[in-house]
Amino acid sequence: MEHVKIDKSKEKIESMFDEIAPTYDRLNHLFTFNIDTKWRREIVKYITDKNIAAGQILDVASGTGDLTMELLRLNPVKISSVDLSAKMLKIQRDKIPDKRLELIQSDVSCLPFGDDTFDIVTIGFGVRNFENLNESLKEIKRVMKPGGKLIVLEMFKTYGIRTDLFNLYFGKVMPFFGNRISKSKYAYSYLFKSVDKFLSAAEFISDCQRIGFELEYKKNNFIGIVNTVYLTKHTAGSAF
C-alpha cells in the first residue's frame, strides 16, 4: 500500500538534497534538539546487545553519514553507503575518512550489489522518499543475506492531538526557518509533506511482511511518529 501524491522522482530528490546538503546536519540537529543522535546510537546498541552479525553493512539513503558514522562503531569489515545526492556523499567523505567506507551514488531501486551480500541494511530517515517503495524494498531484500536485518529509522504517518501539535511544528515552524536557513524554496515544506502523505508504521510493516520480511521489534522513539523498525529477511526455504 502506497500513499504517494508528491513528486519523489529520482531527479527531484537528488536536486533537493544537493541543494540543502551544506546546512543539512546543522538543521537536523537543531530541529530535533539533537535527539536524533540518540536514536541512531540506540540502533548500534541494539545490534551489539543482540550480537547481530555486522561484517557487511549497507546504509541506504545515507545522506551526510550520521548513521554511517555510528555504524562504524560495530567494527564492520566494510560499510557501503548509498545515496542519490553527490553533494551529500561529498560531505560524508569529508566527515568520515575511513577506509572501510565505500561511497556509491545510486538509486535504491537498482543497487549495484550481488544477491545475499549484506548482514545489515539500514535506512535513516530516507524510506519515505523512495519513489517506488515496494520495488525498493524488494531490491534491498535481494542484496541481504538470508536472516539479515533491515533496520529502518523513520517518521511515519500517525493521528491524534499530539500529532496535531507536532504537525504545527513540523508543518509550519520548521519549513519557515528551514527553507530560509538552507536557502531552499521548498525542501523543508516537502519534508513535512513526505511524512503527511506516507504510511503509518503498521502499514509500512505490513508491506514489508508481504515482501518477505519478518518483524523482529518496533521501537516508538517519539509520540508514535518517529519509530525504529527491526526486520529480518526470511531464510532460504521459506514461503517467500
Side-chain angles (χ1 to χ4, degrees):
M1 181 178 182
E2 292 190 42
H3 299 164
V4 178
K5 297 180 181 178
I6 54 178
D7 187 358
K8 297 184 182 182
S9 65
K10 174 182 179 293
E11 294 76 17
K12 187 74 170 181
I13 298 298
E14 180 180 359
S15 171
M16 182 181 70
F17 281 100
D18 274 349
E19 182 180 40
I20 65 175
T23 57
Y24 187 74
D25 281 351
R26 178 161 57 98
L27 287 175
N28 272 1
H29 300 321
L30 173 66
F31 288 136
T32 65
F33 305 99
N34 211 37
I35 301 172
D36 60 311
T37 301
K38 176 177 179 287
W39 298 332
R40 294 183 183 92
R41 287 177 179 169
E42 286 175 345
I43 291 173
V44 172
K45 184 177 186 303
Y46 183 93
I47 293 168
T48 302
D49 290 348
K50 297 291 184 180
N51 198 27
I52 296 169
Q56 298 287 338
I57 301 175
L58 170 61
D59 189 19
V60 173
S62 60
T64 58
D66 276 359
L67 181 53
T68 310
M69 191 160 51
E70 294 296 335
L71 292 167
L72 281 166
R73 293 166 50 207
L74 297 167
N75 197 28
V77 174
K78 184 179 181 181
I79 292 185
S80 297
S81 182
V82 170
D83 199 274
L84 274 175
S85 168
K87 290 186 178 180
M88 289 279 193
L89 291 173
K90 170 64 167 62
I91 291 171
Q92 184 175 163
R93 172 53 75 195
D94 292 341
K95 187 161 67 174
I96 315 172
D98 194 298
K99 293 180 180 179
R100 295 169 294 174
L101 177 60
E102 172 188 43
L103 299 178
I104 300 172
Q105 185 181 12
S106 176
D107 183 6
V108 67
S109 65
C110 186
L111 294 169
F113 307 110
D115 296 354
D116 305 335
T117 299
F118 296 100
D119 299 293
I120 296 172
V121 177
T122 58
I123 313 169
F125 300 112
V127 75
R128 72 182 187 279
N129 297 320
F130 292 171
E131 184 175 11
N132 189 317
L133 178 59
N134 285 345
E135 290 305 312
S136 296
L137 289 172
K138 288 176 184 177
E139 180 69 351
I140 287 169
K141 177 172 170 277
R142 178 187 68 79
V143 303
M144 291 174 62
K145 295 178 182 178
K149 306 300 179 184
L150 171 60
I151 304 171
V152 178
L153 171 62
E154 189 54 271
M155 289 184 285
F156 294 93
K157 177 81 172 179
T158 188
Y159 306 92
I161 187 167
R162 290 184 301 175
T163 303
D164 293 339
L165 292 172
F166 180 73
N167 285 348
L168 176 64
Y169 172 70
F170 195 53
K172 301 292 185 183
V173 177
M174 208 170 98
F176 179 83
F177 290 103
N179 287 337
R180 282 159 180 75
I181 294 171
S182 67
K183 296 181 170 57
S184 171
K185 293 181 179 178
Y186 62 91
Y188 284 85
S189 302
Y190 162 85
L191 291 176
F192 167 70
K193 292 176 184 176
S194 70
V195 177
D196 188 53
K197 303 298 182 184
F198 193 46
L199 308 175
S200 68
E203 289 169 333
F204 173 74
I205 290 166
S206 180
D207 278 3
C208 290
Q209 289 170 329
R210 281 194 291 271
I211 288 167
F213 290 101
E214 178 182 351
L215 177 64
E216 179 173 311
Y217 176 59
K218 179 179 79 72
K219 184 178 188 299
N220 174 9
N221 296 309
F222 181 73
I223 64 172
I225 295 174
V226 181
N227 292 272
T228 307
V229 181
Y230 296 83
L231 301 139
T232 303
K233 175 181 173 178
H234 283 280
T235 55
S238 72
F240 294 88

